[in-house]
Amino acid sequence: MLKSYKQHAQKRYQQNLPPFPLDPAEVEEVVRCLEGGGDGSDELLELLASRVEPVVSKGAKVKAAWLKSVALGRVKVPSLTPEQAVGMLAQMGGGYNVEALVELLEVDSLGECSAEALKGLIKVYDGFDRVAKLARDNNPYAISVIESWARGEWFLEAAELPGSISMKIYKVDGEINTDDFSPGNQAQSRADIPLHATFFGISRFPDGIETIKKFRSKNHQVAFCGDVVGTGSSRKSAVNSLLWHTGDDIPQVPNKRTGGVVFGSTIAPIFYATARDAGILPVEAEVEKLSTGSEVTLDLQRWSLKGQDGMEIPVRKAPETLLDEYRAGGRLNLIIGKQLTRLACDFLGCDLPPVFKEVVN
């Protein structure tokens, strides 16, 4: 199995692309090999940890069920302890892993580490009701999870934003529409984000990929910039391609990225919203005097922008929750997390934590 996967990975690397995530059959093969022990266990564990799509993919379903079996001792794996299996479940982002972690709250030897895993998850869906039932039954681990959600620790323990971000600009003059980011004649490749991203700007700004890559190779954070950005049809694939070139990898989430900044004198409303959802920081500013290679500093505390000459660049006021969304990894994460915190506060009969009082209403 490892030989076959390495051959596939090599072919993709030759195209400057990462390998595909493991499909369900490959996940099944990985866990069978791990149960057998022997050579290659470290590589197999790394594949299982980092190359399976998280949350509710079919591969995640196989992975979560197997890790639960390891945690419960039903499957013995020389290279993976029950506690390590819980740790791997914790990194799956929500979805299929939640049922397993809730069940493990009732296992004394694993209750504490399972609780710690659940405290960092927000995509728990009806898992909240199961944790709440255990809390009503005085399960101490479930109670600690509810209390953590009510305090908003899933957000408070996320890395704080820096005071400012220094960036090098890649600028395209004029209007950039979503077809420039995600060409319609390459629609068949959209599901393969790294491949589709190779067509980013291919007609409108063909130097874009290499120029951004060159800037990033010198450890610059690169912000995409345009006069008018994101007009045309609504395409999540346009944001995905932009993220692939200007964002950062998401740990344990193969072939997807988040983060980055996009500037525009005008950013189309749908594109602005999609960027916020995906974890990009969209900034509307007077960018007429900026050009490719310009260096700017965005002060997140004052919400102000300066060029490399120190001159202030006017910036439009941001939505009240924008920086919290960026810290949470996207607007959707913040919305889901705040709903979870509200549920936990309602369960405990307490007020929302101060960090959310200004942004929930």
Side-chain angles (χ1 to χ4, degrees):
M1 184 270 162
L2 271 177
K3 181 179 179 182
S4 173
Y5 187 80
K6 286 178 179 179
Q7 288 173 344
H8 154 70
Q10 186 60 33
K11 288 179 182 178
R12 294 277 289 184
Y13 290 141
Q14 288 171 354
Q15 302 172 64
N16 293 315
L17 301 171
F20 287 124
L22 298 175
D23 63 32
E26 289 173 324
V27 179
E28 291 274 14
E29 184 65 20
V30 166
V31 300
R32 279 198 297 269
C33 291
L34 283 167
E35 289 173 20
D39 295 338
S41 291
D42 288 345
E43 289 179 275
L44 291 166
L45 282 173
E46 177 58 27
L47 286 178
L48 188 64
S50 63
R51 302 306 303 172
V52 180
E53 290 181 303
V55 193
V56 292
S57 72
K58 292 180 180 179
K61 185 175 183 179
V62 175
K63 176 179 174 179
W66 183 80
L67 288 171
K68 182 176 79 170
S69 294
V70 174
L72 291 171
R74 297 169 185 164
V75 173
K76 303 292 185 182
V77 181
S79 54
L80 190 66
T81 67
E83 291 77 13
Q84 288 170 331
V86 172
M88 199 175 288
L89 282 166
Q91 298 170 340
M92 292 181 64
Y96 287 120
N97 62 330
V98 173
E99 180 181 354
L101 289 168
V102 173
E103 183 175 335
L104 295 172
L105 289 176
E106 298 186 83
V107 179
D108 284 340
S109 62
L110 298 173
E112 185 173 354
C113 59
S114 298
E116 290 304 309
L118 283 164
K119 289 174 184 179
L121 299 178
I122 56 174
K123 296 174 182 176
V124 299
Y125 310 111
D126 60 354
F128 178 86
D129 295 330
R130 296 196 293 273
V131 176
K133 183 179 183 302
L134 289 174
R136 290 190 194 97
D137 293 338
N138 291 317
N139 180 297
Y141 308 117
I143 293 170
S144 73
V145 172
I146 296 282
E147 290 174 341
S148 174
W149 286 338
R151 289 191 292 267
E153 290 179 354
W154 59 269
F155 177 79
L156 295 171
E157 293 183 2
E160 292 188 19
L161 296 180
S164 63
I165 307 174
S166 296
M167 294 159 281
K168 190 174 280 285
I169 294 293
Y170 176 76
K171 171 82 179 292
V172 178
D173 294 327
E175 181 177 334
I176 307 105
N177 62 45
T178 51
D179 198 67
D180 296 324
F181 290 128
S182 169
N185 61 7
Q186 300 298 331
Q188 75 286 345
S189 66
R190 285 176 183 158
D192 184 353
I193 292 173
L195 175 60
H196 190 65
T198 63
F199 303 105
F200 177 78
I202 193 166
S203 298
R204 180 74 168 78
F205 41 95
D207 68 319
I209 293 175
E210 288 305 314
T211 302
I212 292 170
K213 187 185 297 184
K214 181 180 71 174
F215 289 161
R216 295 195 70 168
S217 71
K218 296 180 180 179
N219 295 321
H220 293 292
Q221 179 165 341
V222 179
F224 187 91
C225 181
D227 295 313
V228 180
V229 181
T231 56
S233 61
S234 173
R235 292 183 190 172
K236 176 68 184 301
S237 55
V239 167
N240 285 340
S241 289
L242 176 61
L243 275 171
W244 191 254
H245 296 296
T246 62
D248 299 307
D249 290 333
I250 308 172
Q252 284 75 52
V253 181
N255 299 4
K256 290 185 180 179
R257 290 177 177 167
T258 191
V261 180
V262 58
F263 290 104
S265 292
T266 300
I267 302 177
I270 293 177
F271 189 86
Y272 190 98
T274 306
R276 289 170 69 181
D277 290 345
I280 296 175
L281 187 64
V283 181
E284 292 188 306
E286 295 182 10
V287 302
E288 294 83 357
K289 295 181 180 180
L290 298 179
S291 59
T292 294
S294 296
E295 295 183 8
V296 298
T297 299
L298 179 64
D299 187 319
L300 299 181
Q301 305 300 319
R302 296 177 55 240
W303 195 243
S304 63
L305 183 66
K306 287 185 178 180
Q308 59 200 62
D309 57 1
M311 291 295 293
E312 194 95 9
I313 299 169
V315 179
R316 188 176 302 174
K317 184 179 178 180
E320 195 173 82
T321 60
L322 187 66
L323 293 180
D324 283 337
E325 294 165 9
Y326 195 51
R327 180 178 177 183
R331 180 172 61 170
L332 292 179
N333 283 350
L334 189 66
I335 290 171
I336 292 168
K338 288 192 296 187
Q339 288 173 340
L340 178 65
T341 293
R342 190 188 291 277
L343 283 173
C345 288
D346 288 346
F347 178 86
L348 295 173
C350 63
D351 293 332
L352 286 166
V355 69
F356 290 131
K357 285 184 178 178
E358 294 181 3
V359 299
V360 168
N361 298 321

